[in-house]
Amino acid sequence: MKKDFLCLSDWSRDELEAIFALTLDLKARQKRGEEHHLLRGKTLGMIFEKSSTRTRVSFEVGMYQLGGHALFLHSGTTQLGRGEPIRDTARVMSRYVDGIMIRTFSQAGVEELARWSDIPVINGLTDSYHPCQVMADLFTVVEHKGNYRDQVYGWIGDGNNMANSWINAAAVFGFELRVATPKGYAPDPAVVERARKAGAKVLYTHDPREAAAGATVLNTDVWASMGQEAEQQAREKAFAGFQIDGKVVAAADPACIVLHCLPAHRGEEISDEVIEGPHSVVFDEAENRLHVQKAIMATLMA
């Protein structure tokens, strides 16, 4: 029976830790220059309705390194962009390719695509969740801190798809998470309620210093995500004081690491001194999108 990668809460901790173990192996094999063609002859269809740098490059390069092939499909140049029902696209692509990665707006659309597909579907980002990114983030934490379990995570910024995914991760993995957002920019209430029922150790606050105090991992994202450009000025005003800067880092654990999924708006959600400073592991994190997604594809498609 096929399995999809749509949301972290769909997977168990043991299953996700198995992906981390495979990521570690694949990254080591690549660094040693060893062939690891686990998807030889396989093809991934990549559907993009949102612009991308890291998602497209990491999935496309990842398929190549696994011995397979990736097809870039922009919605504006496919029949999806002309109104073809998702269920029709899903059934046709299931007969052409071995897996689908989609980067789009609607989580419901991704779930419909998966429901009608006979092949695995991977969520490359929606307005609700970004599970591949959080997996890469946690793998980076393991590399730099030794494990993800004993850490205190501080999320400072918008209650967006990344915040939702971190809350899901806290529920699945069982670590302590503090989420600081301005009033009116809280995470999805349904995500919060599901995490609460699962016993997640999550603190919600409107005070960035409270989220950062003693944290071993600090994380943030842009204040205005794709599709929210018209809100930029209003958000800049609402998010004043929610920047990860030197003062916020000083409130955290002295050995803390700083994450950002990129692209970064330096001087807004994160200062230039922090993203370029000794606590930043942002570019290790970006690299690990490649390695984690290879493990996800191999798990689903091999």
Side-chain angles (χ1 to χ4, degrees), residues 210-263:
E210 185 177 12
T216 56
V217 181
L218 294 175
N219 201 352
T220 190
D221 191 9
V222 295
W223 293 339
S225 299
M226 284 177 284
Q228 298 173 333
E229 289 81 5
E231 304 174 30
Q232 178 69 33
Q233 288 187 339
R235 283 174 170 265
E236 285 180 10
K237 193 172 182 179
F239 282 83
F242 281 79
Q243 181 187 93
I244 294 185
D245 57 13
K247 292 180 181 178
V248 170
V249 171
D253 185 273
C256 76
I257 60 174
V258 176
L259 302 171
H260 191 305
C261 60
L262 299 179

Side-chain angles (χ1 to χ4, degrees), residues 109-141:
V110 171
E111 291 171 359
E112 183 180 1
L113 180 69
R115 185 164 60 251
W116 288 95
S117 295
D118 297 327
I119 55 177
V121 174
I122 300 170
N123 177 2
L125 175 142
T126 65
D127 287 346
S128 298
Y129 304 116
H130 199 355
C132 293
Q133 180 67 59
V134 173
M135 287 292 285
D137 291 0
L138 284 170
F139 184 78
T140 306
V141 171

Side-chain angles (χ1 to χ4, degrees), residues 23-165:
T23 301
L24 184 65
D25 176 58
L26 293 177
K27 184 172 182 178
R29 289 164 72 176
Q30 181 189 326
K31 298 299 184 183
R32 293 194 299 264
E34 296 177 5
E35 182 182 292
H36 45 285
H37 289 172
L38 305 185
L39 296 181
R40 189 189 302 274
K42 303 276 188 176
T43 302
L44 177 73
M46 305 189 304
I47 301 173
F48 285 85
E49 290 188 320
K50 286 192 173 188
S51 58
S52 170
T53 299
R54 279 152 291 277
T55 297
R56 178 179 177 180
V57 175
S58 55
F59 272 106
E60 195 161 332
V61 170
M63 275 300 289
Y64 172 78
Q65 292 179 353
L66 290 169
H69 180 69
L71 294 170
F72 173 77
L73 302 166
H74 189 276
S75 62
T77 59
T78 68
Q79 296 301 331
L80 271 176
R82 299 180 64 244
E84 180 175 61
I86 291 175
R87 62 182 181 271
D88 291 357
T89 295
R91 287 180 286 187
V92 170
M93 288 191 67
S94 293
R95 299 182 181 213
Y96 291 157
V97 299
D98 302 287
I100 299 171
M101 186 284 298
I102 182 167
R103 181 178 171 92
T104 186
F105 295 89
S106 167
Q107 181 71 17
V110 171
E111 291 171 359
E112 183 180 1
L113 180 69
R115 185 164 60 251
W116 288 95
S117 295
D118 297 327
I119 55 177
V121 174
I122 300 170
N123 177 2
L125 175 142
T126 65
D127 287 346
S128 298
Y129 304 116
H130 199 355
C132 293
Q133 180 67 59
V134 173
M135 287 292 285
D137 291 0
L138 284 170
F139 184 78
T140 306
V141 171
V142 173
E143 284 189 322
H144 285 269
K145 306 297 281 185
N147 66 75
Y148 66 77
R149 297 177 191 83
D150 301 327
Q151 312 309 318
V152 177
Y153 298 79
W155 174 267
I156 297 172
D158 192 16
N160 60 9
N161 52 3
M162 283 296 299
N164 292 337
S165 293

Side-chain angles (χ1 to χ4, degrees), residues 253-276:
D253 185 273
C256 76
I257 60 174
V258 176
L259 302 171
H260 191 305
C261 60
L262 299 179
H265 292 175
R266 299 172 186 231
E268 291 183 14
E269 76 278 358
I270 192 166
S271 68
D272 193 73
E273 67 168 327
V274 169
I275 200 169
E276 296 292 353

